[in-house]
């Protein structure tokens, strides 16, 4: 028996971990290892030591595996040393011919199967020992016995090798030796002594015979990777397809002639099936992974110098992760690399899951990503692998909606409070004029002096006018809010509008004995505007100044031209300043909002609904203008400034000079007028006024009585109230239009409803004109004068 003398193995790999694994795999009694981490170190060792086998990594920096093998072959000491290549490359891309040309005896693919590695190295160790033993002077008989024992051991290694192996002798490829793995591959058939074509007829047409013939003829090895072999492994059984990696290697006799072919390799069928199952599982996982609506990522915690979590490396992400975060190309990077400004509390929460294994759920705003995220963090795998899964969604839109809803709720609370205050104020404002009206009427009844009665009636008229202005403002706000207020624009001189506004506000200014100063430019300023609405804007500002300035105050109305920076787009600037109670600085931004009255005392000394300035701003904006307020503070007075664009110079020749605010004609032609209103006092009041004007009047207080009176009285004009019980004004008008002989009668709707829709409905019912209550007497006189001109 050959003594198991120590042998040296040279392991060459630039990766220390790989060297350590190789040494661990091959550790055995009587085996010493020399480790080299570079080609130069390996060459130095080869020059000083003899090795049984060299296990050489193919891919190394500096001197590559192939270059090192070539130098080994040129070294006298190592020119016959067996070389086994180890590589992590794709087996199909391995340059087999080049490897064998350099004297390689085999190659293995990383990760290396330790069983196969030990089996193959053991063969060459035994061969080396045999070869070395031949150099000793021992008796021939003893050597033969040792060789026989070695052969038996080789036969055992051959038979038990985890890879399939077979030796086929001669050009007919007669089976000389097979191991257990080879027999298991082909179905445990009787092979020894049979030519391959007879022993394995299943292989016909699959190219294996031809490849073996070529190796035997040329001596060049053949390497097959992932080749499919169709075999009937059981008698009368199904044909099975096996996937194998194998090598055909030519064996030479002592004279160097090719005498046999060695077939060795590995049955990869189970591995392939496992890989296919794994790929299917991965495909299902990937499909689920990518079909999620939420972002998903697996990250691994990176420990700092003292074991504290410093960052997380991103191992996997799905497509939705990029959509929910706005990031890209995240795999392999760390959270800090992707978002350098990431909040530390985010890392702490994720680290808590990695360290404790307890899942967490949170919603937070990420400054680094500028968005809100809802995040679920769960541990993954073993507790010590520091991996966690993140499931997250961008909830920025939801948070913004919630914030908007909160703001809306807050606004609604403010609006509700303002509405409540407004209704209370409205009741107060409506009651205020009713008291002097009621008292004034009582005084008139008791007074005999016409002058005193006239003075009392003037007061009543002022209060009624105030109520009319209040109601008109409310209606205008409603029309603007509903988009139903239509501007009637025309070219008009600003001076005429200002005069009309002053005439409207003069009673309020005089009532509180204010001094009004007016500054107008000498040049003519022309607007393309609705003169009534601009006059309303200026009058509201003047009324406001009069209301919020203590008696005997000063009000200044000034107008000037501002040519702007380019000198072309000129504006008219209208300012109303007073020395009244002023405005707090925090009121300047809200003073133009609906129902806002600035910083007033709780007792509402100055009254008002808080809609006048809101109406001013909306009317000015409809004219493409601006309005702003300024004040030095409470008690320091205030200034309101309106800017309106002046008409272009090209439009000035079309100016139709008008005198706004002129009185209606004094002389009115007599008409026969029927007044219809279920409110008896209202009907009597209008009929009495018209009678004083010289008209002949009659009254009716329902739709049916109006029809009878119309047939009997034959009026020229009828004022019809709309909101009458029973037959309303619309129905009455339709019925009147069907009465023969009354075709020329003019119908005037008299109602509290004055929207464009209301006017359209009255016109459809047969009305010729539409007035809103309380109708101004000047407007009534003007309308009747026009009707009289058409009838006479």
């Amino acid at each position: 028996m050959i003594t198991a003398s120590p042998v040296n193995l040279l392991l060459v790999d630039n990766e220390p971990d790989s060297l350590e694994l190789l040494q661990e795999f091959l550790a055995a009694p009587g085996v010493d290892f020399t480790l080299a981490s570079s080609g130069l170190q390996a060459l130095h060792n080869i020059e000083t030591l003899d090795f049984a086998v060299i296990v050489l990594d193919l891919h190394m920096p500096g001197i590559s595996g192939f270059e090192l093998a070539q130098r080994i072959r040129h070294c006298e000491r190592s020119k016959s040393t067996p070389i086994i290549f180890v590589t992590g490359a794709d087996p199909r891309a391995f340059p087999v011919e080049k490897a064998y040309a350099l004297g390689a005896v085999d190659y293995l693919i990383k990760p290396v199967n330790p069983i196969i590695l030990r089996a193959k190295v053991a063969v060459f160790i035994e061969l080396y020992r045999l070869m070395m033993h031949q150099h000793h002077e021992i008796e021939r008989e003893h050597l033969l016995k040792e060789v026989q024992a070695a052969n038996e051991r080789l036969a055992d290694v051959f038979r038990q090798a985890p890879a399939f192996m077979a030796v086929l002798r001669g050009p007919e490829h007669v089976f000389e030796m097979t191991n257990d793995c080879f027999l298991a591959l082909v179905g445990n058939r009787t092979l020894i002594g049979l030519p391959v074509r007879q022993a394995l007829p299943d292989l016909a047409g699959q190219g294996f015979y031809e490849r073996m013939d070529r190796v035997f003829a040329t001596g060049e090895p053949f390497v097959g990777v992932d080749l499919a072999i169709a075999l009937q492994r059981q008698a009368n059984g199904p044909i099975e397809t096996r996937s194998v990696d194998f090598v055909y290697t030519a064996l030479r006799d002592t004279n160097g002639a090719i005498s046999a072919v060695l077939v060795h390799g590995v049955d990869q069928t189970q591995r392939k099936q496992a890989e296919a199952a794994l790929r299917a599982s991965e495909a299902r996982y990937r499909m689920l992974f990518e079909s999620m609506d939420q972002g998903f990522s697996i990250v691994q915690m990176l420990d700092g110098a003292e074991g504290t979590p410093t960052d997380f490396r991103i191992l996997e992400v799905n497509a939705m992760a990029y959509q929910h975060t706005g990031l890209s190309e995240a795999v392999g990077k760390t959270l800090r690399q992707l978002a350098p400004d990431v909040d530390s509390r985010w890392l702490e929460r994720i680290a808590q899951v990695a360290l404790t294994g307890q899942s967490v759920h949170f919603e937070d705003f990420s400054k680094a990503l500028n968005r809100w995220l809802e995040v679920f963090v769960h541990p993954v795998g073993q507790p010590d692998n520091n991996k966690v899964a993140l499931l997250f969604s961008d909830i920025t839109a939801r948070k913004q909606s919630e914030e908007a809803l909160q703001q809306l709720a807050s606004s609604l609370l403010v609006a509700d409070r303002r509405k409540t205050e407004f209704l209370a104020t409205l009741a107060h404002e409506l009651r205020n004029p009713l008291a002097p009206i009621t008292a004034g009427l009582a005084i008139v009844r008791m007074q005999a002096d016409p002058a005193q009665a006239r003075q009392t009636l003037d007061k009543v008229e002022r209060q009624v006018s105030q109520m009319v202005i209040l109601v008109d403002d409310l209606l205008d706000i409603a029309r603007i809010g509903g988009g139903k207020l239509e501007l009637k624009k025309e070219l008009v001189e600003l001076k005429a509008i200002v005069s009309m506004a002053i005439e409207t506000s003069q009673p309020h200014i005089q009532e509180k004995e204010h001094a009004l100063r007016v500054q107008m430019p000498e040049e003519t300023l022309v607007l393309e505007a609705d003169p009534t609405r601009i006059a309303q804007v200026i009058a509201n500002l003047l009324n406001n100044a009069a209301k919020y300035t203590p008696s005997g105050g000063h009000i200044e109305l000034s107008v000037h031209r501002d040519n702007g920076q380019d000198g072309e787009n000129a504006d008219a600037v209208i300012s109303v300043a007073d020395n009244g109670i002023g405005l707090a600085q925090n009121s300047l931004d809200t003073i133009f909002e609906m129902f806002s009255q600035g910083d007033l005392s709780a007792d509402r000394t100055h009254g008002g609904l808080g809609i006048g300035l809101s109406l001013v701003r909306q009317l000015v904006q409809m004219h493409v203008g601006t309005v702003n307020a300024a004040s030095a503070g409470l008690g320091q007075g205030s200034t309101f400034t309106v800017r309106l664009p002046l008409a272009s110079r090209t439009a000035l020749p079309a100016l139709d000079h008008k005198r706004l605010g002129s009185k209606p004609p004094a002389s009115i032609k007599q008409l026969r007028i029927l007044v219809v209103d279920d409110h008896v006092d209202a009907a009597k009041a209008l009929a009495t006024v018209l009678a004083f004007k010289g008209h002949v009047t009659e009254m009716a207080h329902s739709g049916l009585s109006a029809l009878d009176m119309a047939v009997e009285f034959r009026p020229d004009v009828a004022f019809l109230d709309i909101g009458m019980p029973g037959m309303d004004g619309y129905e009455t008008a339709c019925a009147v239009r069907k009465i023969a002989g009354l075709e020329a009668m003019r119908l005037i709707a008299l109602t509290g409803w004055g929207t464009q829709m209301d006017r359209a409905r009255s016109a459809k019912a047969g009305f010729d004109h539409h007035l809103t209550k309380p109708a101004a007497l000047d407007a009534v006189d003007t309308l009747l004068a026009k009707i009289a001109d058409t009838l006479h």
Side-chain angles (χ1 to χ4, degrees):
M1 179 176 180
I2 299 175
T3 303
S5 59
V7 296
N8 287 328
L9 299 186
L10 176 60
L11 308 181
V12 186
D13 197 313
N14 67 305
E15 293 290 338
D17 291 341
S18 296
L19 285 174
E20 185 177 343
L21 284 175
L22 289 173
Q23 185 175 359
E24 181 179 344
F25 290 163
L26 298 174
V31 177
D32 296 327
F33 297 92
T34 300
L35 308 181
S37 59
S38 68
L40 290 175
Q41 188 177 0
L43 288 173
H44 175 74
N45 291 325
I46 288 169
E47 291 173 356
T48 58
L49 293 173
D50 293 324
F51 297 100
V53 181
I54 299 175
V55 180
L56 174 58
D57 182 35
L58 184 61
H59 297 286
M60 293 190 300
I63 299 176
S64 69
F66 281 134
E67 293 174 346
L68 180 58
Q70 190 172 18
R71 294 192 185 188
I72 290 172
R73 287 292 172 255
H74 285 89
C75 180
E76 184 66 26
R77 190 167 195 159
S78 60
K79 64 181 181 180
S80 299
T81 303
I83 298 174
I84 298 177
F85 280 116
V86 177
T87 177
D90 186 344
R92 290 169 289 189
F94 182 78
V96 176
E97 295 79 3
K98 184 175 181 181
Y100 282 101
L102 291 172
V105 296
D106 210 337
Y107 73 97
L108 296 172
I109 305 299
K110 291 183 179 180
V112 175
N113 187 316
I115 297 176
I116 296 176
L117 176 63
R118 281 197 297 268
K120 292 188 176 185
V121 170
V123 171
F124 293 106
I125 289 177
E126 291 294 330
L127 291 175
Y128 177 81
R129 283 175 172 158
L130 284 172
M131 184 175 63
M132 293 300 297
H133 194 68
Q134 290 175 357
H135 292 83
H136 298 291
E137 294 181 357
I138 59 174
E139 295 179 355
R140 183 177 179 82
E141 294 80 5
H142 186 68
L143 178 60
L144 290 175
K145 292 180 181 179
E146 292 290 346
V147 170
Q148 184 179 3
N151 288 336
E152 291 176 355
R153 289 197 298 274
L154 284 175
D156 288 340
V157 171
F158 179 85
R159 180 175 55 81
Q160 299 174 14
F164 62 78
M165 302 177 70
V167 176
L168 295 95
R169 180 70 59 181
E172 296 298 323
H173 313 306
V174 177
F175 279 99
E176 182 177 296
M177 298 175 63
T178 60
N179 70 349
D180 294 344
C181 282
F182 192 92
L183 294 175
L185 173 67
V186 300
N188 294 316
R189 310 182 192 189
T190 300
L191 301 177
I192 302 301
L194 296 177
V196 66
R197 287 176 169 80
Q198 179 182 348
L200 297 176
D202 309 22
L203 298 182
Q206 300 184 47
F208 293 97
Y209 305 150
E210 294 76 11
R211 296 187 187 105
M212 199 175 299
D213 291 341
R214 191 178 306 116
V215 172
F216 189 86
T218 65
E220 295 180 358
F222 172 79
V223 178
V225 179
D226 284 346
L227 291 182
I229 299 179
L231 292 170
Q232 191 175 30
R233 302 177 69 230
Q234 295 179 0
N236 302 320
I239 295 177
E240 299 181 24
T241 300
R242 312 295 293 180
S243 178
V244 295
D245 297 341
F246 68 90
V247 178
Y248 287 164
T249 307
L251 300 179
R252 299 177 184 271
D253 59 17
T254 56
N255 296 322
I258 298 174
S259 61
V261 174
L262 171 65
V263 179
H264 67 284
V266 179
D267 184 355
Q268 301 283 16
T269 306
Q270 291 184 347
R271 180 180 66 83
K272 287 292 183 180
Q273 292 172 346
E275 289 177 351
L278 179 61
R279 284 194 299 271
S281 177
E282 288 179 347
R284 289 192 297 271
Y285 164 76
R286 182 59 58 182
M287 181 179 66
L288 175 63
F289 190 65
E290 294 298 342
S291 63
M292 299 171 63
D293 291 334
Q294 297 90 350
F296 184 79
S297 177
I298 295 179
V299 300
Q300 185 169 34
M301 184 174 67
L302 305 177
D303 291 338
E306 299 179 358
T308 58
T310 59
D311 206 348
F312 290 84
R313 187 170 304 283
I314 299 169
L315 305 180
E316 285 189 75
V317 293
N318 65 351
M320 291 301 295
Y322 296 127
Q323 182 172 329
H324 283 283
T325 61
L327 301 173
S328 61
E329 299 180 359
V331 176
K333 298 179 181 177
T334 69
L335 293 181
R336 290 190 184 277
Q337 288 175 333
L338 290 170
D341 299 329
V342 62
D343 297 331
S344 59
R345 66 177 182 274
W346 285 72
L347 299 180
E348 291 170 359
R349 286 167 175 161
I350 301 172
Q352 177 186 355
V353 177
L355 295 173
T356 66
Q358 299 296 319
S359 301
V360 299
H361 167 229
F362 62 89
E363 294 179 0
D364 202 352
F365 181 76
S366 171
K367 294 181 181 178
L369 301 178
N370 192 30
R371 64 188 66 199
W372 278 90
L373 292 177
E374 180 180 19
V375 185
F376 296 85
V377 189
H378 303 282
V380 174
Q382 298 300 319
D384 58 351
N385 67 6
N386 291 337
K387 292 181 181 179
V388 295
L390 306 177
L391 183 67
F392 49 89
S393 300
D394 181 0
I395 58 171
T396 306
R398 193 192 82 193
K399 285 292 184 180
Q400 291 173 344
S401 298
E402 290 175 356
E403 183 179 356
L405 286 174
Q406 291 176 352
Q407 292 178 350
L408 178 60
S410 177
S411 299
L412 288 175
L413 287 175
V414 173
D416 184 65
R417 177 177 56 79
R418 287 184 174 179
K419 179 203 70 174
T420 302
E421 293 175 355
F422 165 72
L423 292 175
T425 305
L426 176 61
H428 178 268
E429 290 297 309
L430 290 176
R431 288 191 185 100
N432 277 344
L434 289 176
I437 290 173
T438 304
L441 292 175
I443 293 171
V444 170
R445 290 192 184 95
M446 294 184 293
Q447 288 177 344
D449 186 353
Q452 290 182 346
R454 170 57 61 186
Q455 186 177 8
T456 301
L457 289 174
D458 287 343
K459 292 180 180 180
V460 171
E461 186 176 5
R462 283 198 298 273
Q463 297 300 325
V464 171
S465 298
Q466 182 61 31
M467 291 184 70
V468 170
I469 291 173
L470 180 63
V471 174
D472 285 345
D473 282 353
L474 286 170
L475 291 175
D476 286 342
I477 286 291
R479 292 188 188 106
I480 292 175
K484 297 177 180 178
L485 183 66
E486 297 181 0
L487 297 180
K488 299 177 181 179
K489 289 187 177 183
E490 58 183 88
L491 293 175
V492 60
E493 291 184 15
L494 181 55
K495 185 180 294 184
I497 296 176
V498 170
S499 298
M500 183 168 65
I502 293 174
E503 183 177 344
T504 301
S505 301
Q506 195 67 42
H508 303 283
I509 296 173
Q510 290 177 350
E511 184 180 10
K512 297 191 69 175
E513 299 179 348
H514 295 316
L516 175 64
R517 180 185 176 190
V518 181
Q519 289 185 323
M520 295 290 297
E522 294 183 0
E523 65 174 314
T524 299
L525 302 181
V526 179
L527 303 177
E528 186 175 0
D530 185 330
T532 302
R533 294 304 179 183
I534 299 301
Q536 185 179 1
V537 167
I538 300 173
N540 272 357
L541 294 178
L542 289 172
N543 292 343
N544 235 38
K547 181 187 297 184
Y548 295 112
T549 300
S551 297
H554 297 279
I555 301 173
E556 181 172 337
L557 170 62
S558 63
V559 178
H560 70 272
R561 177 192 186 98
D562 183 359
N563 287 326
Q565 295 181 353
D566 54 10
E568 291 294 329
N569 300 320
D571 291 333
V573 182
I574 308 164
S575 296
V576 176
D578 61 62
N579 62 341
I581 64 173
L583 294 167
Q585 290 302 309
N586 59 1
S587 298
L588 295 178
D589 295 333
T590 61
I591 193 66
F592 291 100
E593 293 182 4
M594 184 69 71
F595 310 137
S596 176
Q597 295 177 298
D599 189 5
L600 304 180
S601 58
D603 60 5
R604 303 202 176 269
T605 304
H606 301 281
L609 295 177
I611 61 174
L613 290 179
S614 176
L615 179 60
V616 165
R617 180 177 64 177
Q618 294 184 70
L619 289 175
V620 169
Q621 289 175 346
M622 290 177 71
H623 284 83
V624 200
T626 61
V627 59
N628 61 73
S631 176
L634 294 176
Q636 303 297 313
S638 57
T639 302
F640 288 83
T641 303
V642 175
R643 300 181 71 93
L644 295 169
L646 289 170
S648 62
R649 291 188 175 92
T650 57
L652 295 183
L655 177 64
D656 180 15
H657 293 278
K658 297 180 180 180
R659 175 176 171 79
L660 298 178
S662 58
K663 300 291 183 180
S667 59
I668 299 177
K669 297 178 182 179
Q670 186 183 74
L671 295 171
R672 297 170 64 82
I673 301 175
L674 174 60
V675 178
V676 184
D677 198 322
D678 65 308
H679 195 290
V680 177
D681 290 340
K684 285 183 178 179
L686 180 56
T688 302
V689 170
L690 294 176
F692 282 152
K693 297 288 186 176
H695 299 295
V696 179
T697 62
E698 287 289 350
M699 291 182 294
H701 303 302
S702 68
L704 291 175
S705 61
L707 295 178
D708 295 337
M709 183 60 69
V711 173
E712 179 183 346
F713 182 52
R714 298 285 173 172
D716 299 312
V717 178
F719 287 90
L720 289 179
D721 180 35
I722 297 297
M724 294 186 295
M727 181 182 289
D728 63 18
Y730 298 125
E731 294 170 332
T732 304
C734 290
V736 167
R737 289 305 182 203
K738 297 177 182 179
I739 298 175
L742 297 181
E743 295 84 355
M745 183 172 64
R746 301 293 191 268
L747 296 181
I748 301 173
L750 191 59
T751 177
W753 305 102
T755 66
Q756 193 65 32
M757 185 182 299
D758 297 322
R759 295 178 183 275
R761 185 177 178 186
S762 63
K764 185 177 180 180
F767 285 98
D768 299 290
H769 304 282
H770 188 111
L771 296 177
T772 55
K773 290 182 178 180
L777 292 180
D778 288 349
V780 172
D781 288 341
T782 302
L783 178 58
L784 292 177
K786 290 180 180 179
I787 292 174
D789 289 340
T790 62
L791 294 177
H792 299 87

